[in-house]
Amino acid sequence: MGLEKLTDDNLSSLLCNPENIPLLERIALRELKKYHELQDRIPGYNPLTHDTDITPNKKELQALFEETKKDVHQFLEIQNASKCIVKHNGIITRDKALIWTARTLLGGGLAYVGSAALMIARVIDIDSVLYATAIGSATAAAWSFKRVKDEIPNQSAYQTRLITGTGYIALPKRGEIPTKAILDHEYTHHIQEDHGFKDTRHTIFTEGHARSVERNIAKIRVEKTGNTSHENMITHYTANEMLRAYSWVCHKNGVKPSMNLGYDESLIFPHEIGHPLLYLWEEKYGPEIHTKLLRGETDIISELR
């Protein structure tokens, strides 16, 4: 396995090669042009929310997720994957409220029945019955709250992520097209966990890899459907991440960027290193590198030998 070659420190160093500066600039300008062309087709369109879409309901979300699993498995040549579920976020969901209430009532009821039986047998008095019922309800409520929190993770309505190690994807409520893109990205993280990428040493790789899969699947969907909306969100991210990477690599090498981007050149995030680096490798070695690297087959990349 080549996981030790895909650590954050190693990938950061590889992206900082000064030979990457003109390549990053070329790709960044190309993606930026593509983004503006897509934007011009739908004036006022927000690629991050796709507000013209209606949020998929529970049944529709599951159908989209099945499509995502099929597309990701096909692109990455996945034969088997562990169980993964997806639900929309919410501060408190109806499911949570109903489960919590039912368990609380059950706990209180059992405590009441048990203590009432003792009162009839003249072991305890009515005050003890009421006290036992209250304690039973409170205990059941506390236990139920913890169980519900574990069973249905409580996320911000605007947050999206794979809950590490749980096989659970928490989604914000978005339109159908951005929902597909988010599912592609987060389900790829689930597949990465299946292949051993579970610790923070590989964050740059896992984020860059998920973004690359998201970008490639969006492209495939456009080719299949002719609907360019599938590429709006990922092109927005790609253009921005390429420009950030270009600015950062210039800063690291003491080179003045040819464009005044207005970024903090010393600040960069894992997506903005991993995605540009894997994009460079994809152009050099082909999209199959995403499957090879997932399997730890790093010898395909000369820079990793």
Side-chain angles (χ1 to χ4, degrees):
M1 294 292 286
L3 270 65
E4 68 280 358
K5 295 183 179 180
L6 297 173
T7 60
D8 289 356
D9 289 343
N10 196 26
L11 296 189
S12 295
S13 297
L14 289 171
L15 184 64
C16 279
N17 185 334
E19 294 180 3
N20 289 331
I21 292 176
L23 301 176
L24 288 169
E25 182 178 12
R26 175 175 57 81
I27 295 174
L29 291 174
R30 185 179 71 202
E31 291 295 324
L32 192 60
K33 179 183 177 182
K34 181 178 180 180
Y35 171 67
H36 286 307
E37 289 174 348
L38 290 170
Q39 287 292 93
D40 290 342
R41 296 178 188 179
I42 315 176
Y45 172 80
N46 185 338
L48 302 184
T49 61
H50 202 72
D51 292 331
T52 58
D53 272 0
I54 298 173
T55 299
N57 61 32
K58 184 177 180 180
K59 184 178 180 180
E60 291 167 340
L61 179 61
Q62 296 308 316
L64 291 178
F65 189 40
E66 290 304 314
E67 180 183 329
T68 283
K69 289 192 286 187
K70 180 181 177 181
D71 290 341
V72 172
H73 289 177
Q74 184 173 351
F75 181 73
L76 292 175
E77 300 177 19
I78 303 298
Q79 300 300 320
N80 298 293
S82 62
K83 183 179 179 180
C84 185
I85 60 174
V86 59
K87 288 189 178 182
H88 280 130
N89 286 331
I91 301 303
I92 184 165
T93 65
R94 185 183 69 171
D95 289 344
K96 284 186 179 184
L98 290 175
I99 294 171
W100 184 79
T101 301
R103 287 174 176 169
T104 300
L105 292 174
L106 178 61
L110 291 173
Y112 174 79
V113 171
S115 57
L118 292 174
M119 184 189 74
I120 292 171
R122 298 186 178 181
V123 175
I124 60 176
D125 57 21
I126 185 63
D127 290 338
S128 297
V129 172
L130 297 175
Y131 179 76
T133 302
I135 292 297
S137 297
T139 302
W143 173 82
S144 178
F145 181 79
K146 183 180 185 306
R147 286 294 301 273
V148 168
K149 187 176 180 182
D150 292 342
E151 292 165 4
I152 312 174
N154 188 24
Q155 297 296 314
S156 162
Y158 300 100
Q159 196 174 15
T160 176
R161 67 187 180 112
L162 172 75
I163 313 298
T164 305
T166 67
Y168 177 95
I169 297 174
L171 283 183
K173 291 185 177 181
R174 294 285 186 267
E176 178 180 326
I177 289 177
T179 293
K180 286 182 178 180
I182 294 168
L183 285 172
D184 295 339
H185 186 104
E186 298 304 327
Y187 185 64
T188 299
H189 283 318
H190 176 73
I191 295 298
Q192 291 164 352
E193 286 193 353
D194 281 353
H195 285 74
F197 293 94
K198 297 181 179 181
D199 62 56
T200 56
R201 295 183 307 124
H202 302 109
T203 302
I204 287 175
F205 171 74
T206 56
E207 293 298 347
H209 182 258
R211 189 75 90 204
S212 296
V213 172
E214 179 186 346
R215 173 172 47 78
N216 276 278
I217 290 179
K219 181 180 178 181
I220 291 170
R221 288 195 181 122
V222 171
E223 292 171 352
K224 286 181 177 179
T225 67
N227 185 355
T228 58
S229 294
H230 289 289
E231 285 193 296
N232 273 290
M233 188 163 78
I234 188 58
T235 304
H236 168 87
Y237 284 131
T238 301
N240 183 65
E241 287 164 1
M242 291 296 165
L243 290 170
R244 292 296 296 254
Y246 167 71
S247 177
W248 183 70
V249 175
C250 284
H251 172 73
K252 287 290 187 179
N253 286 281
V255 175
K256 184 178 179 180
S258 63
M259 301 173 280
N260 182 13
L261 302 173
Y263 295 136
D264 180 347
E265 297 173 348
S266 64
L267 181 65
I268 197 164
F269 295 98
H271 293 83
E272 298 162 355
I273 298 176
H275 187 202
L277 182 60
L278 265 67
Y279 200 137
L280 292 177
W281 289 348
E282 182 182 324
E283 292 226 319
K284 185 175 181 180
Y285 301 104
E288 62 271 15
I289 65 156
H290 302 303
T291 300
K292 298 289 187 181
L293 292 176
L294 181 67
R295 296 172 179 170
E297 299 172 12
T298 55
D299 285 347
I300 188 176
I301 308 295
S302 62
E303 294 87 340
L304 294 175
R305 291 173 191 158

